[in-house]
Amino acid sequence: MSPTTSLHELGSDALDSVHLRGLIDERLNAFLDAKRGRDTDVHLVSLIEHLRGFLSAGGKRIRPLLCMVGWHAAGGHGETEPVIGAAASLELFHAFTLIHDDVMDASDTRRGRPTVHRALETGADPTTAERFGTNSAILLGDLVMVWSDELLYSSGLDQQQLVAVRPLLDAMRTEVMIGQYRDLLATGEPNADVERSLAVIRYKTAKYTVERPLHIGAALAGADQSLLDVCTAYALPIGEAFQLRDDLLGVFGDPSKTGKSTLDDLREGKATALMAHALRAADPGQARVLRSLVGDPALDEAGAETVRGVLRATGAAEKVEQMITDRVQRARRVLDEAPFPDEVRKTLDTFVTTTTLRTT
Amino acid sequence: MSPTTSLHELGSDALDSVHLRGLIDERLNAFLDAKRGRDTDVHLVSLIEHLRGFLSAGGKRIRPLLCMVGWHAAGGHGETEPVIGAAASLELFHAFTLIHDDVMDASDTRRGRPTVHRALETGADPTTAERFGTNSAILLGDLVMVWSDELLYSSGLDQQQLVAVRPLLDAMRTEVMIGQYRDLLATGEPNADVERSLAVIRYKTAKYTVERPLHIGAALAGADQSLLDVCTAYALPIGEAFQLRDDLLGVFGDPSKTGKSTLDDLREGKATALMAHALRAADPGQARVLRSLVGDPALDEAGAETVRGVLRATGAAEKVEQMITDRVQRARRVLDEAPFPDEVRKTLDTFVTTTTLRTT
């Protein structure tokens, strides 16, 4: 599992994210090795290697890294077993959400490779391969969720850390699933409700990707509520900005860099703020174009280009860029006041830049 | 959530299973009430009520009850918060496995009602209802698994109990998923491999339904390895017998009593010991019948009746009855020697009868 360039950026001249990522991936591999060593069940081994392949295919390790940043933000020193274990367990949990997410979206590619359910089809009876791949991916996702827990609890948290982390972990898991469910309810029919799309973002990304990982790391170091609140004040705007950028990249990005198709979100009819702004500003003709093309599973690149044209012409893309800028400013104001060690402040400041100006 | 008759049988004139079940269902309802109280999110509330409906629709509460039996087997007294919480959390975990199982099998009914993914289709846009129901059920299953954990950890286990239970819980969860995956790999093509079908049973039912619940309850009461081993010696044969009975009921049962279609297993081509014995003993004509009908998603009742005829004519049904009898005897021999309190011995003896002679 080698660090990606985007990672080098995160936390450069502050916390050494490449070093931290190395520790996290080491821990993940050691966990999978132990699983493989303990159980010689050939079927389990094949699932383990599918998972290892998925983890090593990339991923920014944002949640584990933010967990370790939270640890340092609350005065944690060095990288202890519990914090590395907790950080790594967040990546396993995230792998579970991605595996199930791709099943639910019926996505074919992730990180520039076939999604897990597609990969698991290989070698199966062609007449039932698709169903077998889907069912195997549901099961592997379930297994990975269970294992994320196992990894956390095998990392030597003391009773006090367990008591501090447990409710945050429970909240994180429930929040991401509510976010997913809201997303599910909103998807398919493009609608002009910007607030609704932001509510999904808040649960699915801002809290799940940024706030809770920071909280969990900080709690391991014994953070009090006021410090957790500062983490929240930074996390929510930057988490929203992160997802807003993701939505832009999902339509305007370069698949060779993002490893993600620029058709999936449009075919799926993902209810993004981008789409909501477009529908809000669209004239009747533009609205017709959006309603006819967005959410069409058979949308081709030409159709997508037409949609992109409307997203630009309505000023929606620009509006989303503005929303990102506003949130970046809010997050930076919080950082200026935050009682964090300098290296943490620097890292979180770099994170603002890399997440909102990123191209991958 | 009212007790079912089958439950009255379990533990009659021994541990009061109706009382125990009452405690478990109370705990489950209190947990869901708290969830509902804490979060007014309308979407979450609807998911919670879907789950409550699923739980209250029936289910024998076998795992929670065995967990409490294990607690008493190891000398636990009374019903403390941790043991009730652990027991109830096993039922939530089981609800998760059933919800995902029904998605994977695309089953329409469970416990005489529409399966969760079917129920969740209600009110959705007809053109996408099926996919919406499936995706919502995957998410609800995920949420329920997370909540089973939350319920366990909110039940006041002390550090010693946590350390004792954790590895057993981790093992249980991984085992059931390996069992499910093996089941997935074996399903579709009927085959004559009895051993292979028994391996699935061992993971999916014997360990998951009987051994681990007993272990977890016993561990809460501080059981040592030798006591856990006695639980295992009882649990594996009786767990296998339980599943063998289930397989017979899945083909020959009375749907009005089991609440389960007698076509699903045959349509799915479930690789049961019953089917393996039939294929082993079948003459070429009977083998052709089985291979053409079993695993056919469109199998109708007439075709199913033909298959049942072959299962009887080949002596397969009888062989499976014999396998059940052998296992019942093995389990009873273990019970005679087991260092369990009398009430526990009585309860586990009654459990042998009710699980293997049951009609539901």
Side-chain angles (χ1 to χ4, degrees):
Chain A
M1 301 186 183
S2 66
T4 67
T5 38
S6 66
L7 234 242
H8 285 281
E9 297 155 20
L10 168 59
S12 55
D13 73 45
L15 294 176
D16 180 350
S17 66
V18 177
H19 167 66
L20 296 182
R21 187 196 163 106
L23 293 173
I24 292 156
D25 287 350
E26 229 171 72
R27 190 79 182 74
L28 286 170
N29 273 320
F31 180 79
L32 295 185
D33 291 341
K35 279 285 170 211
R36 184 173 177 150
R38 199 173 310 128
D39 201 312
T40 54
D41 179 296
V42 55
H43 309 305
L44 183 59
V45 167
S46 101
L47 286 179
I48 290 171
E49 295 314 320
H50 267 285
L51 174 59
R52 200 195 298 266
F54 179 73
L55 288 168
S56 59
K60 303 186 181 64
R61 306 289 189 263
I62 288 174
R63 295 155 195 85
L65 286 166
L66 287 176
C67 176
M68 299 181 92
V69 172
W71 160 259
H72 289 286
H77 292 298
E79 283 80 36
T80 68
E81 262 304 291
V83 70
I84 297 168
S89 76
L90 293 182
E91 191 64 21
L92 269 192
F93 183 84
H94 188 54
F96 139 73
T97 64
L98 294 180
I99 291 167
H100 278 191
D101 211 27
D102 287 338
V103 166
M104 293 189 277
D105 298 346
S107 305
D108 296 326
T109 61
R110 155 90 58 188
R111 297 173 177 173
R113 299 164 33 135
T115 48
V116 169
H117 60 99
R118 286 274 173 242
L120 284 163
E121 287 177 9
T122 319
D125 168 358
T127 61
T128 56
E130 188 170 352
R131 174 132 179 244
F132 176 79
T134 299
N135 288 351
S136 304
I138 292 173
L139 270 178
L140 179 53
D142 293 343
L143 190 60
V144 174
M145 166 142 77
V146 163
W147 283 357
S148 73
D149 226 37
E150 197 174 326
L151 173 52
L152 176 68
Y153 289 103
S154 61
S155 303
L157 298 113
D158 61 36
Q159 184 67 0
Q160 196 179 0
Q161 289 174 309
L162 185 65
V163 169
V165 163
R166 189 76 226 168
L168 299 168
L169 197 67
D170 290 334
M172 178 195 82
R173 293 162 158 188
T174 298
E175 283 156 2
V176 67
M177 303 212 189
I178 301 171
Q180 295 270 43
Y181 187 58
R182 283 176 167 234
D183 203 7
L184 210 58
L185 289 162
T187 295
E189 247 307 285
N191 73 80
D193 188 339
V194 176
E195 270 320 303
R196 185 176 173 194
S197 70
L198 282 176
V200 173
I201 282 183
R202 212 159 289 128
Y203 275 107
K204 233 186 118 166
T205 310
K207 291 172 134 324
Y208 169 60
T209 304
V210 187
E211 182 197 31
R212 295 310 186 179
L214 283 172
H215 278 180
I216 288 167
L220 285 171
D224 61 12
Q225 189 56 49
S226 70
L227 193 91
L228 295 184
D229 293 342
V230 176
C231 292
T232 301
Y234 164 83
L236 295 189
I238 210 58
E240 289 178 23
F242 178 89
Q243 184 59 50
L244 291 167
R245 173 62 60 204
D246 214 55
D247 292 341
L248 284 172
L249 289 172
V251 175
F252 297 102
D254 174 352
S256 72
K257 289 186 186 168
T258 61
K260 208 182 145 207
S261 155
T262 49
L263 293 175
D264 288 353
D265 286 4
L266 295 174
R267 286 174 171 170
E268 196 190 309
K270 196 173 173 194
T272 60
L274 177 65
M275 200 55 63
H277 275 302
L279 281 162
R280 209 183 255 186
D283 62 36
Q286 294 170 317
R288 263 195 307 279
V289 169
L290 293 177
R291 296 202 183 282
S292 65
L293 295 177
V294 177
D296 169 9
L299 182 75
D300 59 12
E301 181 50 36
E305 207 33 49
T306 311
V307 173
R308 291 187 195 110
V310 174
L311 295 175
R312 288 196 194 88
T314 52
E318 207 176 309
K319 274 218 178 59
V320 173
E321 288 288 356
Q322 187 54 53
M323 290 173 78
I324 294 173
T325 308
D326 297 344
R327 283 160 177 75
V328 165
Q329 286 166 356
R330 261 160 57 207
R332 287 224 154 98
R333 277 198 297 276
V334 173
L335 268 189
D336 295 340
E337 308 291 316
F340 296 153
D342 277 353
E343 53 168 18
V344 169
R345 195 192 315 279
K346 279 207 198 94
T347 303
L348 290 177
D349 187 75
T350 312
F351 183 67
V352 173
T353 315
T354 52
T355 52
T356 56
L357 301 185
R358 71 200 159 94
T359 56
T360 63
Chain B
M1 303 185 183
S2 66
T4 67
T5 39
S6 67
L7 233 243
H8 285 282
E9 295 155 21
L10 169 60
S12 55
D13 72 45
L15 293 176
D16 181 350
S17 67
V18 177
H19 168 66
L20 296 182
R21 188 195 162 106
L23 293 173
I24 292 157
D25 287 350
E26 230 171 68
R27 190 78 184 73
L28 286 169
N29 272 320
F31 180 79
L32 294 185
D33 292 341
K35 279 284 169 209
R36 183 171 178 155
R38 200 172 313 131
D39 200 312
T40 54
D41 179 295
V42 57
H43 309 303
L44 184 59
V45 167
S46 100
L47 286 179
I48 289 170
E49 294 316 318
H50 268 284
L51 174 59
R52 200 194 298 267
F54 179 73
L55 288 168
S56 60
K60 302 186 182 67
R61 305 290 190 264
I62 287 174
R63 293 156 197 85
L65 287 164
L66 286 176
C67 176
M68 299 181 91
V69 172
W71 160 259
H72 288 286
H77 293 297
E79 281 81 36
T80 68
E81 261 304 291
V83 70
I84 296 168
S89 76
L90 293 181
E91 191 64 21
L92 268 192
F93 182 83
H94 188 54
F96 139 72
T97 66
L98 294 180
I99 291 167
H100 278 191
D101 211 28
D102 287 337
V103 166
M104 293 189 277
D105 297 346
S107 305
D108 296 327
T109 60
R110 155 90 59 187
R111 296 172 178 175
R113 299 163 33 134
T115 47
V116 168
H117 61 100
R118 287 274 172 237
L120 284 165
E121 287 177 9
T122 318
D125 169 355
T127 61
T128 57
E130 186 170 353
R131 176 135 176 237
F132 176 80
T134 298
N135 288 351
S136 304
I138 292 173
L139 270 177
L140 179 54
D142 293 343
L143 191 60
V144 174
M145 166 143 77
V146 163
W147 284 358
S148 73
D149 227 35
E150 197 174 327
L151 173 52
L152 176 69
Y153 287 103
S154 61
S155 303
L157 298 113
D158 61 36
Q159 185 66 1
Q160 196 179 0
Q161 289 174 310
L162 185 65
V163 170
V165 163
R166 189 75 224 167
L168 298 168
L169 198 67
D170 290 335
M172 179 195 82
R173 294 163 158 189
T174 298
E175 282 156 1
V176 67
M177 307 224 184
I178 301 171
Q180 294 270 44
Y181 188 57
R182 284 176 167 234
D183 203 7
L184 210 59
L185 289 163
T187 295
E189 248 305 285
N191 73 80
D193 188 339
V194 176
E195 270 320 303
R196 185 177 174 192
S197 70
L198 282 176
V200 173
I201 282 184
R202 211 159 290 130
Y203 276 107
K204 233 185 116 166
T205 311
K207 290 173 142 308
Y208 169 59
T209 304
V210 187
E211 181 195 33
R212 295 309 186 181
L214 283 172
H215 277 181
I216 288 167
L220 286 170
D224 60 12
Q225 189 56 49
S226 70
L227 193 92
L228 296 184
D229 294 342
V230 176
C231 292
T232 300
Y234 165 83
L236 296 189
I238 210 58
E240 289 179 23
F242 177 89
Q243 184 60 50
L244 291 167
R245 172 62 60 204
D246 214 54
D247 292 342
L248 284 171
L249 290 171
V251 176
F252 296 103
D254 174 354
S256 72
K257 290 186 185 169
T258 61
K260 204 181 147 207
S261 155
T262 48
L263 293 176
D264 287 353
D265 286 3
L266 294 175
R267 285 176 172 167
E268 197 189 309
K270 196 172 176 196
T272 61
L274 177 65
M275 200 55 64
H277 275 303
L279 282 161
R280 209 182 257 186
D283 62 34
Q286 293 170 318
R288 263 194 308 280
V289 170
L290 293 177
R291 297 203 182 279
S292 66
L293 296 177
V294 177
D296 169 10
L299 182 76
D300 59 12
E301 180 50 37
E305 207 33 50
T306 310
V307 174
R308 291 186 195 108
V310 174
L311 294 175
R312 287 195 195 88
T314 51
E318 207 176 308
K319 273 218 179 59
V320 173
E321 287 289 356
Q322 187 54 53
M323 290 172 79
I324 294 173
T325 308
D326 297 344
R327 282 159 178 75
V328 164
Q329 285 166 356
R330 259 159 58 206
R332 289 223 152 99
R333 277 197 297 277
V334 173
L335 268 188
D336 294 340
E337 307 292 316
F340 297 154
D342 278 355
E343 54 170 17
V344 169
R345 196 192 314 279
K346 278 205 199 101
T347 303
L348 290 178
D349 187 76
T350 312
F351 182 67
V352 173
T353 315
T354 52
T355 51
T356 55
L357 301 185
R358 70 201 161 92
T359 56
T360 63

